[in-house]
Amino acid sequence: MLMGDKAIRPVLERLTEDRLRRGKLLGRLSQKEVLDWLDQRTNPYRELMTYYRCAMMEVETKFNVLNEELSLQYDRNPIESIKSRLKEPESILEKMKRKGLPLTIESIEDNIFDVAGVRVICSFPEDIYMLTDCLLRQDDITLITRKDYIKNPKESGYRSLHLIVEVPIFLHDQKKMMKVEVQMRTIAMDFWASLEHKIRYKKDLPQAVAISDELRQCSEMSAQLDARMEAVRRWIEHGGGEPPAAGMSPNNKME
Ligand code: 0O2
């Protein structure tokens, strides 16, 4: 038998209070806001999250299909891995609070575009743009926003291509358009972003400026590495000849 909303409410309440406290959210939210939020986190919330999960599956499948087809054509897989995640309830709540949005289910759908996130880790920077073009050419995909943090890295050094796309999901009685955030990165960009994400929680250290500078430099090094690996790949694909000028020593070892 399924648990009724009343039965799961105390469980949710305990769980969420604990997680909110860990996320330092309690204190910034009144008890009423938390309780109203919990009331909404029952059926309508679960329903909406199911739709987002379906939308993530749709987008993930599109990339898997492209990877299969392109690997036949080019004899290599342009995608290293795909990771999907549903934004945590606490993060959704925190973002809505930060943006001064009403804490309602409708408001999540209308304003929070990264509830469903698909991260595509590509082999080379060129693959990012090639796969993005392939995705956006599909007639059931609508591009909502595009932010190119590869051509214009963030102040932190963060690099990735971000897309918000709308994709249809087909339910038993209706078609629904859902928004999904797609983050496209190379392995090197992902390596940097993952480690920086862990380190940045220590930003209130006295050496914060020096740490930020160091992280920016690491990001530049990883971008250079991407460019050099791409140059080597092109060199091999074009059958050798003159080695790429940048960074190759006479015995073809990276300097
Ligand atoms: P999580 O856990 O990934 O969801 P906003 O989302 O409104 O705050 P904006 O401008 O819409 O801001 O989003 P932005 O900056 O284009 O992209 C936000 C996401 O990109 C972040 O998600 C991170 O995943 C990633 N990101 C952006 N900047 C950085 C950075 O400097 N370092 C790292 N490691 N990742 C970054 P969330 O919501 O922060 O977290």
Side-chain angles (χ1 to χ4, degrees):
M1 199 181 77
L2 282 173
M3 282 169 97
D5 287 350
K6 283 211 171 67
I8 65 165
R9 194 173 189 277
V11 180
L12 277 177
E13 198 161 345
R14 263 202 314 280
L15 261 180
T16 307
E17 286 229 356
D18 180 47
R19 287 159 74 170
L20 285 172
R21 201 168 285 117
R22 271 191 276 134
K24 297 196 177 78
L25 263 172
L26 268 188
R28 278 200 274 148
L29 294 168
S30 70
Q31 182 73 0
K32 183 175 179 312
E33 280 173 319
V34 175
L35 290 178
D36 287 349
W37 174 251
L38 284 169
D39 278 337
Q40 291 192 23
R41 279 195 59 197
T42 49
N43 282 335
Y45 183 86
R46 280 204 299 260
E47 201 171 73
L48 181 64
M49 292 304 125
T50 301
Y51 298 157
Y52 279 120
R53 259 193 297 275
C54 296
M56 285 192 307
M57 285 192 278
E58 292 283 353
V59 172
E60 216 177 299
T61 301
K62 282 176 180 295
F63 279 110
N64 280 323
V65 168
L66 286 171
N67 198 35
E68 281 293 318
E69 195 250 333
L70 290 166
S71 68
L72 265 182
Q73 200 171 327
Y74 296 110
D75 209 20
R76 68 177 182 85
N77 294 322
I79 298 178
E80 293 290 328
S81 62
I82 305 177
K83 299 172 198 164
S84 294
R85 72 101 182 86
L86 208 55
K87 206 171 180 70
E88 291 287 333
E90 296 80 355
S91 301
I92 297 175
L93 188 56
E94 190 277 329
K95 193 165 183 174
M96 292 169 83
K97 193 72 192 150
R98 179 161 45 86
K99 294 187 173 234
L101 297 167
L103 304 182
T104 63
I105 298 294
E106 294 72 33
S107 174
I108 298 177
E109 220 179 332
D110 293 344
N111 301 294
I112 309 295
F113 297 164
D114 64 345
V115 174
V118 175
R119 186 170 290 159
V120 183
I121 316 294
C122 301
S123 314
F124 299 98
E126 272 180 5
D127 296 331
I128 293 177
Y129 294 103
M130 183 261 292
L131 284 162
T132 299
D133 289 347
C134 292
L135 178 77
L136 297 180
R137 271 201 300 271
Q138 299 188 5
D139 60 13
D140 57 349
I141 286 278
T142 307
L143 176 66
I144 307 295
T145 59
R146 175 185 178 124
K147 292 187 199 165
D148 193 338
Y149 297 127
I150 301 172
K151 293 204 170 95
N152 304 297
K154 284 194 149 192
E155 183 61 21
S156 60
Y158 176 77
R159 289 163 209 261
S160 286
L161 178 67
H162 287 197
L163 310 168
I164 306 289
V165 296
E166 207 166 43
V167 63
I169 56 166
F170 295 89
L171 305 167
H172 76 285
D173 57 351
Q174 59 167 319
K175 168 182 162 184
K176 219 175 142 41
M177 300 303 291
M178 301 301 299
K179 292 191 181 64
V180 176
E181 183 188 67
V182 181
Q183 295 185 348
M184 312 281 299
R185 307 175 172 172
T186 60
I187 307 168
M189 293 172 200
D190 189 54
F191 162 79
W192 183 92
S194 305
L195 297 190
E196 189 266 358
H197 190 262
K198 285 183 187 164
I199 294 167
R200 74 175 153 157
Y201 291 109
K202 295 181 181 170
K203 256 186 186 156
D204 52 351
L205 289 171
Q207 316 92 311
V209 175
I211 290 169
S212 295
D213 281 349
E214 183 66 11
L215 286 169
R216 260 193 303 276
Q217 282 182 38
C218 290
S219 163
E220 275 156 29
M221 285 167 74
S222 80
Q224 283 166 17
L225 196 58
D226 263 338
R228 286 166 71 165
M229 293 301 281
E230 193 157 71
V232 174
R233 195 210 73 216
R234 277 203 216 115
W235 182 40
I236 293 168
E237 277 179 6
H238 296 142
E242 278 298 299
M248 295 292 289
S249 67
N251 59 1
N252 289 347
K253 283 193 185 131
M254 290 292 188
E255 285 168 349

